[in-house]
Amino acid sequence: MASNGNGSVANGNGSARNGLAKIQTQKKHDGICHDDSGPTVKAQTIDELHSLQKKKSAPTTPVTGFQAPFATLTEEERHKQQLQSISASLASLTRETGPKLVKGDPARKSDTQKVTHVHHHVSTPTIVVSDSSLKFTHVLYNLSPAELYEQAIKYEKGSFITSTGALATLSGAKTGRSPRDKRVVKDDLTENELWWGKGSPNIEMDEHTFMVNRERAVDYLNSLDKVFVNDQFLNWDTENRIKVRIVSARAYHSLFMHNMCIRPTPEELENFGTPDFTIYNAGQFPCNRYTHYMTSSTSIDLNLARREMVILGTQYAGEMKKGLFGVMHYLMPKRQILSLHSGCNMGKDGDVALFFGLSGTGKTTLSTDHNRYLIGDDEHCWGDNGVSNIEGGCYAKCIDLSREKEPDIWNAIRFGTVLENVVFDEHDREVDYSDKSVTENTRAAYPIEYIPNAKLPCVGPHPKNVILLACDAFGVLPPISKLNLAQTMYHFISGYTALVAGTEEGIKEPQATFSACFGAAFIMLHPTKYAAMLAEKMQKHGATGWLVNTGWSAGSYGYGSRIKLQYTRKIIDAIHSGSLLNAEYKKTEIFGLEIPTEVEGVPSEILDPVNTWSNKKGYKETLLKLAGLFKNNFETFTNYKIGKGNNNLTEEILAAGPIF
C-alpha cells in the first residue's frame, strides 16, 4: 500500500480508500517519467551560467581606406592600441612607463584581459620601481549607462535609482563650481592671447605648478584599482569637432560626461586615436595647499599648450563640462568660429534663434520649446555653415521643477539621466524637486535625444534672432526690448543678469552681476573679440537683437514679483513669428530701449516697467542706480578696439549705453 499525494492510502486494485481514482503516470519504454521541460543549460558551474547571460558586442562595420589607424587591425590589436593610448595619458613624468592596464571590472575575473603598458622617454630623473608600477589598473572604457549604473550603485555611496529610473547621486562637499580655484597656465603664448587682469576669469599659474598638480592627480588615479575612461567628441560640426578623453574615478562622472559630450559610434571609437584634449579628474583627492598658487584644497587647472585639465578637491561634475567649454572658447575663434554660451532652437521653417544668458535666466527652459526643434540648451558654435551644438546633452536646473511648467525636461528624467544632489522619498524613491536640503543647485544631465523634438544632428542654418536674457533683480528693465546692432553689442559685452542662488558656492540669494558675453566665467579671450565676431555675423546674416527680462517687475527683488513664465513664452513666440518686427514701439528714458506697445497674450501695462511701480520716485532712483552700475562696469572695456578699423562702431556701442 502506498500513500497518495493527499495523504490517503491507495489499495492494490488502483482505487483509493477515499473513493477517488488512482492517479496514473505516463512511462516511456525506458521506465522514465515523461518530462515536458526543455534541455538543461550548457554550463557546469554558476560562473559559466553567468557568462552565457551576456554576449559579445556585434562586430562593427569594416572601415574602408587608409585614413583609419585601426582599419586593418584585429580586435585584439585594437584593444591593445586603445590601452596603449590610455596608458600614455596616465603616464607619470617621473617614471619611464605608464601604468599597467587591463580592461574590465576588477571584481569580475572573466573581464580581465592582457596587460598593457607603455614605455616613455622623458628627460626628468626616473624612478625605476614604485608601488604603482607593480600593480594593475583596470580600465572601464566607454561603459554603457547600464554598466555605469551597476558601478555607481555597488561602489558609490549615495547612488540610488529614482522612481523614474534616473540615477540620483551626490557631488560631495562641493555642489557648485569653484571659480576662485580655477587656474590657467600663463606662458609665452597665452600671456598675449588670453584675457588677464580685472574682470577676467583667468587666474594665472605657472607650468611647474601645473605639472605638480598633474603628477598628484595621475598618481592618485594610478593608485586606484580601476579608472573610468571616456573617449568622446565636442561640436556636432564634424569638420571642427574636438576629440576629448576624460579619466575619472567615479561612475557618476563617467555617466555625466557620457551624457554631456557627443557619443561616438562604434566605428568612430575604433578610429579615435590620440585625443585632442584630456581631463584628469581626481576630484576625490585634494591639492596640496602649500603648493604655489593654491588657495584651498580645490584646484581646477588648465594647460592649453599641453591640452590638459586637472581637477583636484572637487567632485562637482559641472567643472568638467565648463572646463571643456573654456577650451572651445580658445580653440574655435582660432578657426574663425564664434563660441557662444547660448541655447539654440529652430522653427519648422528653418528660422534659428540664439538664447544668451547665465544660469537661472531661463536659457534652458526657453530654448526647450515643444513647438520648435532643440539644437542645444547651453553651448554652441557659429561658423561659416551656420550653428552647431558643442555638446551631446543638456544640463538643466531642477529646483522647483514640475511637469506642468517644463514637461520636456520632466519627461527627460528617466533611465540614463544623472540627478545631482536631489532629495527623494526613502521608500518609493520619488524626487521632491522643491527640497533644498542638499543644495539649491540641483541638476539633471541627460542626452539631448531625450528631448522629443531635438534636432539630430544638432546643427542649423544661420540665426535670425539673437535673444539676450537678463534676470533683472532691480525690476526696471522692460520684459522685451528690440535692440539695434550697437545696443546688442553693448548688452552682450555687459552681460547683465542676477546670479541665481546655488549656481556658485556661497550665493544664497540673487545678486546683480555683470558677466561679459553672458558667460565671463568661461571665456578665454577678451570679450570685445567675441563681440566683434558676433557683430560681423549678425550684420552678414541679417539677425535681429532682443533684450528679454525674465526677472522682476513692479519692484526690485524682495518687493516686486518674478515675471510670469507664461508671459515670457508669449514674448518669445512673438519674436519667433516675426510679429514684433512690425509692432509699434516707444523709447524708454535713460537706457533708450525700444519697447512694443503691445504683445499678444501679455498685459500691456507690464511692457513699460514704470507702469508697474506704485512708487514712481523709487522707480526713477532704482533706474538711475542700475544705469550707474552699467556705466561703471563698461569702463573695463573702453580701452579696447573692436576689430580692425571699427573705431566708429566702438563709439556707437559706447553711445548705446544708458545716458543720464
PDB file of all heavy atoms in Angstrom, residues 533-550:
ATOM      1  N   MET A 533      33.198  89.360 -33.476  1.00  0.00           N
ATOM      2  CA  MET A 533      32.756  88.244 -34.316  1.00  0.00           C
ATOM      3  C   MET A 533      31.231  88.174 -34.382  1.00  0.00           C
ATOM      4  O   MET A 533      30.652  87.921 -35.443  1.00  0.00           O
ATOM      5  CB  MET A 533      33.320  86.928 -33.775  1.00  0.00           C
ATOM      6  CG  MET A 533      34.833  86.818 -33.855  1.00  0.00           C
ATOM      7  SD  MET A 533      35.472  85.211 -33.271  1.00  0.00           S
ATOM      8  CE  MET A 533      34.919  84.155 -34.613  1.00  0.00           C
ATOM      9  N   LEU A 534      30.564  88.414 -33.240  1.00  0.00           N
ATOM     10  CA  LEU A 534      29.104  88.392 -33.226  1.00  0.00           C
ATOM     11  C   LEU A 534      28.537  89.504 -34.105  1.00  0.00           C
ATOM     12  O   LEU A 534      27.588  89.290 -34.875  1.00  0.00           O
ATOM     13  CB  LEU A 534      28.594  88.528 -31.793  1.00  0.00           C
ATOM     14  CG  LEU A 534      27.074  88.498 -31.624  1.00  0.00           C
ATOM     15  CD1 LEU A 534      26.487  87.187 -32.127  1.00  0.00           C
ATOM     16  CD2 LEU A 534      26.687  88.733 -30.163  1.00  0.00           C
ATOM     17  N   ALA A 535      29.108  90.715 -34.012  1.00  0.00           N
ATOM     18  CA  ALA A 535      28.638  91.840 -34.823  1.00  0.00           C
ATOM     19  C   ALA A 535      28.778  91.537 -36.312  1.00  0.00           C
ATOM     20  O   ALA A 535      27.868  91.788 -37.107  1.00  0.00           O
ATOM     21  CB  ALA A 535      29.427  93.099 -34.469  1.00  0.00           C
ATOM     22  N   GLU A 536      29.918  90.958 -36.671  1.00  0.00           N
ATOM     23  CA  GLU A 536      30.166  90.631 -38.073  1.00  0.00           C
ATOM     24  C   GLU A 536      29.150  89.626 -38.599  1.00  0.00           C
ATOM     25  O   GLU A 536      28.589  89.794 -39.691  1.00  0.00           O
ATOM     26  CB  GLU A 536      31.580  90.074 -38.216  1.00  0.00           C
ATOM     27  CG  GLU A 536      31.937  89.639 -39.630  1.00  0.00           C
ATOM     28  CD  GLU A 536      33.286  88.956 -39.716  1.00  0.00           C
ATOM     29  OE1 GLU A 536      33.975  88.870 -38.676  1.00  0.00           O
ATOM     30  OE2 GLU A 536      33.631  88.485 -40.812  1.00  0.00           O
ATOM     31  N   LYS A 537      28.855  88.607 -37.806  1.00  0.00           N
ATOM     32  CA  LYS A 537      27.930  87.568 -38.252  1.00  0.00           C
ATOM     33  C   LYS A 537      26.486  88.069 -38.272  1.00  0.00           C
ATOM     34  O   LYS A 537      25.705  87.709 -39.165  1.00  0.00           O
ATOM     35  CB  LYS A 537      28.083  86.330 -37.368  1.00  0.00           C
ATOM     36  CG  LYS A 537      29.426  85.635 -37.549  1.00  0.00           C
ATOM     37  CD  LYS A 537      29.574  84.392 -36.693  1.00  0.00           C
ATOM     38  CE  LYS A 537      30.955  83.773 -36.866  1.00  0.00           C
ATOM     39  NZ  LYS A 537      31.245  83.373 -38.273  1.00  0.00           N
ATOM     40  N   MET A 538      26.108  88.897 -37.304  1.00  0.00           N
ATOM     41  CA  MET A 538      24.754  89.445 -37.303  1.00  0.00           C
ATOM     42  C   MET A 538      24.525  90.353 -38.504  1.00  0.00           C
ATOM     43  O   MET A 538      23.467  90.311 -39.147  1.00  0.00           O
ATOM     44  CB  MET A 538      24.496  90.205 -36.003  1.00  0.00           C
ATOM     45  CG  MET A 538      24.343  89.310 -34.776  1.00  0.00           C
ATOM     46  SD  MET A 538      23.938  90.235 -33.276  1.00  0.00           S
ATOM     47  CE  MET A 538      22.274  90.801 -33.667  1.00  0.00           C
ATOM     48  N   GLN A 539      25.518  91.176 -38.816  1.00  0.00           N
ATOM     49  CA  GLN A 539      25.408  92.061 -39.974  1.00  0.00           C
ATOM     50  C   GLN A 539      25.330  91.260 -41.268  1.00  0.00           C
ATOM     51  O   GLN A 539      24.503  91.531 -42.140  1.00  0.00           O
ATOM     52  CB  GLN A 539      26.609  93.008 -40.023  1.00  0.00           C
ATOM     53  CG  GLN A 539      26.528  94.174 -39.052  1.00  0.00           C
ATOM     54  CD  GLN A 539      27.736  95.091 -39.180  1.00  0.00           C
ATOM     55  OE1 GLN A 539      28.873  94.630 -39.255  1.00  0.00           O
ATOM     56  NE2 GLN A 539      27.498  96.391 -39.188  1.00  0.00           N
ATOM     57  N   LYS A 540      26.179  90.269 -41.394  1.00  0.00           N
ATOM     58  CA  LYS A 540      26.255  89.486 -42.619  1.00  0.00           C
ATOM     59  C   LYS A 540      24.979  88.701 -42.887  1.00  0.00           C
ATOM     60  O   LYS A 540      24.531  88.585 -44.038  1.00  0.00           O
ATOM     61  CB  LYS A 540      27.450  88.532 -42.529  1.00  0.00           C
ATOM     62  CG  LYS A 540      27.676  87.701 -43.790  1.00  0.00           C
ATOM     63  CD  LYS A 540      28.936  86.857 -43.658  1.00  0.00           C
ATOM     64  CE  LYS A 540      29.171  86.041 -44.924  1.00  0.00           C
ATOM     65  NZ  LYS A 540      30.423  85.217 -44.805  1.00  0.00           N
ATOM     66  N   HIS A 541      24.338  88.190 -41.821  1.00  0.00           N
ATOM     67  CA  HIS A 541      23.191  87.296 -41.996  1.00  0.00           C
ATOM     68  C   HIS A 541      21.858  87.920 -41.572  1.00  0.00           C
ATOM     69  O   HIS A 541      20.834  87.234 -41.561  1.00  0.00           O
ATOM     70  CB  HIS A 541      23.435  85.990 -41.238  1.00  0.00           C
ATOM     71  CG  HIS A 541      24.685  85.275 -41.660  1.00  0.00           C
ATOM     72  ND1 HIS A 541      24.800  84.635 -42.878  1.00  0.00           N
ATOM     73  CD2 HIS A 541      25.894  85.125 -41.043  1.00  0.00           C
ATOM     74  CE1 HIS A 541      26.011  84.112 -42.991  1.00  0.00           C
ATOM     75  NE2 HIS A 541      26.692  84.390 -41.891  1.00  0.00           N
ATOM     76  N   GLY A 542      21.884  89.207 -41.257  1.00  0.00           N
ATOM     77  CA  GLY A 542      20.639  89.929 -41.003  1.00  0.00           C
ATOM     78  C   GLY A 542      19.895  89.510 -39.748  1.00  0.00           C
ATOM     79  O   GLY A 542      18.657  89.485 -39.737  1.00  0.00           O
ATOM     80  N   ALA A 543      20.618  89.202 -38.675  1.00  0.00           N
ATOM     81  CA  ALA A 543      19.972  88.797 -37.425  1.00  0.00           C
ATOM     82  C   ALA A 543      19.527  90.025 -36.628  1.00  0.00           C
ATOM     83  O   ALA A 543      20.148  91.084 -36.687  1.00  0.00           O
ATOM     84  CB  ALA A 543      20.917  87.946 -36.594  1.00  0.00           C
ATOM     85  N   THR A 544      18.431  89.886 -35.877  1.00  0.00           N
ATOM     86  CA  THR A 544      17.892  90.957 -35.037  1.00  0.00           C
ATOM     87  C   THR A 544      18.185  90.659 -33.571  1.00  0.00           C
ATOM     88  O   THR A 544      18.051  89.516 -33.124  1.00  0.00           O
ATOM     89  CB  THR A 544      16.371  91.091 -35.219  1.00  0.00           C
ATOM     90  OG1 THR A 544      16.084  91.315 -36.597  1.00  0.00           O
ATOM     91  CG2 THR A 544      15.822  92.240 -34.390  1.00  0.00           C
ATOM     92  N   GLY A 545      18.577  91.691 -32.821  1.00  0.00           N
ATOM     93  CA  GLY A 545      18.881  91.538 -31.407  1.00  0.00           C
ATOM     94  C   GLY A 545      17.703  91.922 -30.523  1.00  0.00           C
ATOM     95  O   GLY A 545      16.964  92.872 -30.830  1.00  0.00           O
ATOM     96  N   TRP A 546      17.510  91.182 -29.426  1.00  0.00           N
ATOM     97  CA  TRP A 546      16.428  91.432 -28.472  1.00  0.00           C
ATOM     98  C   TRP A 546      16.967  91.305 -27.055  1.00  0.00           C
ATOM     99  O   TRP A 546      17.815  90.456 -26.775  1.00  0.00           O
ATOM    100  CB  TRP A 546      15.289  90.426 -28.655  1.00  0.00           C
ATOM    101  CG  TRP A 546      14.752  90.327 -30.048  1.00  0.00           C
ATOM    102  CD1 TRP A 546      15.197  89.499 -31.039  1.00  0.00           C
ATOM    103  CD2 TRP A 546      13.686  91.085 -30.619  1.00  0.00           C
ATOM    104  NE1 TRP A 546      14.479  89.688 -32.188  1.00  0.00           N
ATOM    105  CE2 TRP A 546      13.536  90.657 -31.965  1.00  0.00           C
ATOM    106  CE3 TRP A 546      12.824  92.076 -30.126  1.00  0.00           C
ATOM    107  CZ2 TRP A 546      12.579  91.184 -32.817  1.00  0.00           C
ATOM    108  CZ3 TRP A 546      11.873  92.602 -30.968  1.00  0.00           C
ATOM    109  CH2 TRP A 546      11.745  92.170 -32.301  1.00  0.00           C
ATOM    110  N   LEU A 547      16.457  92.142 -26.153  1.00  0.00           N
ATOM    111  CA  LEU A 547      16.764  92.038 -24.728  1.00  0.00           C
ATOM    112  C   LEU A 547      15.488  91.644 -24.003  1.00  0.00           C
ATOM    113  O   LEU A 547      14.485  92.361 -24.053  1.00  0.00           O
ATOM    114  CB  LEU A 547      17.294  93.371 -24.178  1.00  0.00           C
ATOM    115  CG  LEU A 547      17.627  93.402 -22.684  1.00  0.00           C
ATOM    116  CD1 LEU A 547      18.767  92.439 -22.362  1.00  0.00           C
ATOM    117  CD2 LEU A 547      17.995  94.821 -22.234  1.00  0.00           C
ATOM    118  N   VAL A 548      15.513  90.483 -23.346  1.00  0.00           N
ATOM    119  CA  VAL A 548      14.337  89.964 -22.656  1.00  0.00           C
ATOM    120  C   VAL A 548      14.644  89.855 -21.167  1.00  0.00           C
ATOM    121  O   VAL A 548      15.606  89.182 -20.765  1.00  0.00           O
ATOM    122  CB  VAL A 548      13.927  88.579 -23.213  1.00  0.00           C
ATOM    123  CG1 VAL A 548      12.784  87.989 -22.397  1.00  0.00           C
ATOM    124  CG2 VAL A 548      13.532  88.699 -24.680  1.00  0.00           C
ATOM    125  N   ASN A 549      13.843  90.520 -20.354  1.00  0.00           N
ATOM    126  CA  ASN A 549      14.000  90.454 -18.905  1.00  0.00           C
ATOM    127  C   ASN A 549      13.096  89.359 -18.344  1.00  0.00           C
ATOM    128  O   ASN A 549      11.870  89.448 -18.426  1.00  0.00           O
ATOM    129  CB  ASN A 549      13.646  91.808 -18.269  1.00  0.00           C
ATOM    130  CG  ASN A 549      13.657  91.745 -16.751  1.00  0.00           C
ATOM    131  OD1 ASN A 549      14.303  90.882 -16.154  1.00  0.00           O
ATOM    132  ND2 ASN A 549      12.941  92.663 -16.115  1.00  0.00           N
ATOM    133  N   THR A 550      13.719  88.329 -17.779  1.00  0.00           N
ATOM    134  CA  THR A 550      12.958  87.243 -17.149  1.00  0.00           C
ATOM    135  C   THR A 550      12.937  87.399 -15.626  1.00  0.00           C
ATOM    136  O   THR A 550      12.541  86.474 -14.910  1.00  0.00           O
ATOM    137  CB  THR A 550      13.572  85.877 -17.504  1.00  0.00           C
ATOM    138  OG1 THR A 550      14.908  85.804 -16.976  1.00  0.00           O
ATOM    139  CG2 THR A 550      13.621  85.674 -19.007  1.00  0.00           C
TER     140      THR A 550
END
